[in-house]
Amino acid sequence: MTTVFIAGSLSIKRLDARFVEKLDKIVGSKYDVVVGDADGADASIQQALLDRGAASVTVYCSGSRPRNNLGDWPVRTVDSASAPGSRAFFTAKDIEMAKAADYGLMMWDAKSTGTLSNVIELLKRARTSRVFVNKEKQFLTVSNLDTLSALIQLMSAGAREKAEQKIGLSRKMAALATEQFALAV
């Protein structure tokens, strides 16, 4: 069974109709869905899944209980050695969702480092993401380093600098390039 990791930026509260169409297809195909428990896009995605009667949903959370579980779906708690509330604390659940997924569907504000990290985590596992770039109102498929670079080009210089500071974007890109080169040899 196909598992789809669906996530988005905290700043996004309203899902674009084109993104919702993808959710409809996922629910209609009866795919397994893994989703986070954050406010913003995660909560909006959960609401849309609930409205569509999605049955095969698992909510991932760092810590003992989810912040949001609108459908009262099964919960996968992820232990994190990092300080509660920190970026690393919440990233632990995102990494586990990337491990569980065959595919990603993301809604991105072109600056969120959390959503960008999710795309990178999926790419590290040779998984493709369909990313709806909210400011562009378009989807971009990210399946390799070139398409990830195209996605990053949609960020402002300030957003790229923040991504460098928060997640070490250049280091992650270099690691992906090394991994892809090793696979090609």
Side-chain angles (χ1 to χ4, degrees):
M1 177 58 80
T2 300
T3 300
V4 184
F5 174 5
I6 306 176
S9 305
L10 279 169
S11 67
I12 298 172
K13 311 248 185 300
R14 300 174 91 194
L15 304 179
D16 187 274
R18 286 162 284 202
F19 187 86
V20 173
E21 286 175 14
K22 297 288 185 197
L23 290 179
D24 288 336
K25 289 179 182 176
I26 290 166
V27 172
S29 297
K30 298 187 182 341
Y31 291 155
D32 293 333
V33 171
V34 294
V35 65
D37 66 329
D39 292 325
D42 284 356
S44 296
I45 290 162
Q46 284 189 25
Q47 185 62 57
L49 291 168
L50 180 62
D51 292 347
R52 282 150 183 76
S56 188
V57 176
T58 302
V59 176
Y60 278 62
C61 70
S62 296
S64 59
R65 57 182 215 138
R67 296 167 285 179
N68 292 291
N69 184 358
L70 304 179
D72 197 28
W73 292 295
V75 174
R76 168 93 196 289
T77 58
V78 176
D79 292 327
S80 175
S82 300
S86 68
R87 169 174 295 286
F89 178 78
F90 292 117
T91 298
K93 72 167 170 49
D94 294 333
I95 291 170
E96 292 304 311
M97 285 188 285
K99 287 178 184 177
D102 300 301
Y103 187 79
L105 177 64
M106 305 289 158
M107 187 157 191
W108 190 48
D109 62 4
K111 57 188 170 187
S112 164
T113 54
T115 305
L116 182 59
S117 289
N118 293 340
V119 172
I120 292 169
E121 286 297 328
L122 286 160
L123 197 53
K124 281 171 52 177
R125 291 161 178 80
R127 310 280 191 329
T128 297
S129 295
R130 287 283 285 162
V131 181
F132 185 82
V133 183
N134 208 32
K135 76 175 191 170
E136 302 290 325
K137 302 296 183 205
Q138 69 178 12
F139 278 100
L140 185 64
T141 299
V142 179
S143 58
N144 57 42
L145 195 55
D146 290 338
T147 53
L148 177 62
S149 294
L151 182 73
I152 290 167
Q153 291 305 311
L154 298 173
M155 301 173 79
S156 69
R160 281 194 302 275
E161 179 58 33
K162 275 194 172 175
E164 194 60 50
Q165 293 168 4
K166 288 183 172 183
I167 65 170
L169 181 59
S170 309
R171 187 183 75 251
K172 287 184 182 240
M173 296 285 288
L176 277 172
T178 301
E179 288 172 25
Q180 288 187 355
F181 177 76
L183 291 174
V185 175

